[in-house]
């Protein structure tokens, strides 16, 4: 059996004093269909009675697109109007945020953040700010290494490629220059 509206009018189930609305199929498959338009979008929408603002989750079956907080998404997963947070019980969370001209990926307070490629960790940022490239345990502010187990490549570990007429590398302590390699390759 079906519950439907006539003349393309809104169908309201429940009211101000109604509990949850549950869609429960008789079989174990449980399919909910979208609209009859060509796109067949399925939209779950809620409106705050206090602020009259609307938020929605849109499922677009053409391409498996999910939009949160917007009616149409151009991406496989898109969130509008807030941060995205991933939470793992007992381990903390990770937040992707964008505000005041800064986009950020933040780990939980006591958990390092790692970026990987090819199925392996490549860069680690420790909670104190130390960065490790090629190591999961940086021992200085910037720790770059390539273990011999990765194989010898014949390439330099770090490449500073200055393309303008400036010093290539400057090392200092307490604001006093201690070592310089200039654009000609001279060290002093």
């Amino acid at each position: 059996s079906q519950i439907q509206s006539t003349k393309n009018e809104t169908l309201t189930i429940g009211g101000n004093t109604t509990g949850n609305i549950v869609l429960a199929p008789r079989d174990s498959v449980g399919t909910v269909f979208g609209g009859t338009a060509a796109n067949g979008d399925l939209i779950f929408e809620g409106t705050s009675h206090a602020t009259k603002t609307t938020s929605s989750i849109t499922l677009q079956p053409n391409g498996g697109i999910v939009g949160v907080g917007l009616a149409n998404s151009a991406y496989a997963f898109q969130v509008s109007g807030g941060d995205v947070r991933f939470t793992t019980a007992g381990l903390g969370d990770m937040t992707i945020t964008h505000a005041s001209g800064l986009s950020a990926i933040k780990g939980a307070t006591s958990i390092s953040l790692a970026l990987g490629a090819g199925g392996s960790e490549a860069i680690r940022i420790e909670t104190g700010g130390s960065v490790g490239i090629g190591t999961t345990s940086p021992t200085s502010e910037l720790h770059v290494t390539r273990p011999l187990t990765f194989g010898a490549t014949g390439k330099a570990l770090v490449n500073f490629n200055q393309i303008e007429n400036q010093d290539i590398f400057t090392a200092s302590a307490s604001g006093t220059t201690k070592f310089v390699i200039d654009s000609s390759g001279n060290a002093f």
Side-chain angles (χ1 to χ4, degrees), residues 50-132:
T51 62
K52 303 298 181 207
T53 57
T54 300
S55 59
S56 63
I57 298 174
T58 303
L59 307 176
Q60 296 172 300
N62 295 337
I65 294 174
V66 177
V68 179
L70 65 164
N72 293 302
S73 175
Y75 304 98
F77 181 72
Q78 184 175 357
V79 177
S80 176
D83 298 344
V84 176
R85 178 167 284 181
F86 301 91
T87 301
T88 303
L91 295 177
D93 55 11
M94 181 187 81
T95 304
I96 301 172
T97 184
H98 178 77
S100 302
L102 174 67
S103 294
I105 299 173
K106 300 176 184 177
T109 305
S110 59
I111 297 176
S112 301
L113 180 64
L115 302 174
S120 298
E121 183 176 320
I123 300 172
R124 174 176 291 238
I125 303 171
E126 293 288 320
T127 57
S130 298
V131 176

Side-chain angles (χ1 to χ4, degrees), residues 103-171:
S103 294
I105 299 173
K106 300 176 184 177
T109 305
S110 59
I111 297 176
S112 301
L113 180 64
L115 302 174
S120 298
E121 183 176 320
I123 300 172
R124 174 176 291 238
I125 303 171
E126 293 288 320
T127 57
S130 298
V131 176
I133 300 175
T135 179
T136 59
S137 303
T139 57
S140 60
E141 293 299 309
L142 176 60
H143 183 157
V144 181
T145 189
R146 181 177 172 86
L148 290 176
T149 56
F150 287 178
T153 63
K155 297 179 182 176
L157 181 61
V158 178
N159 184 354
F160 297 98
N161 185 15
Q162 177 55 267
I163 59 173
E164 297 174 357
N165 190 21
Q166 298 175 7
D167 293 336
I168 296 172
F169 180 82
T170 301

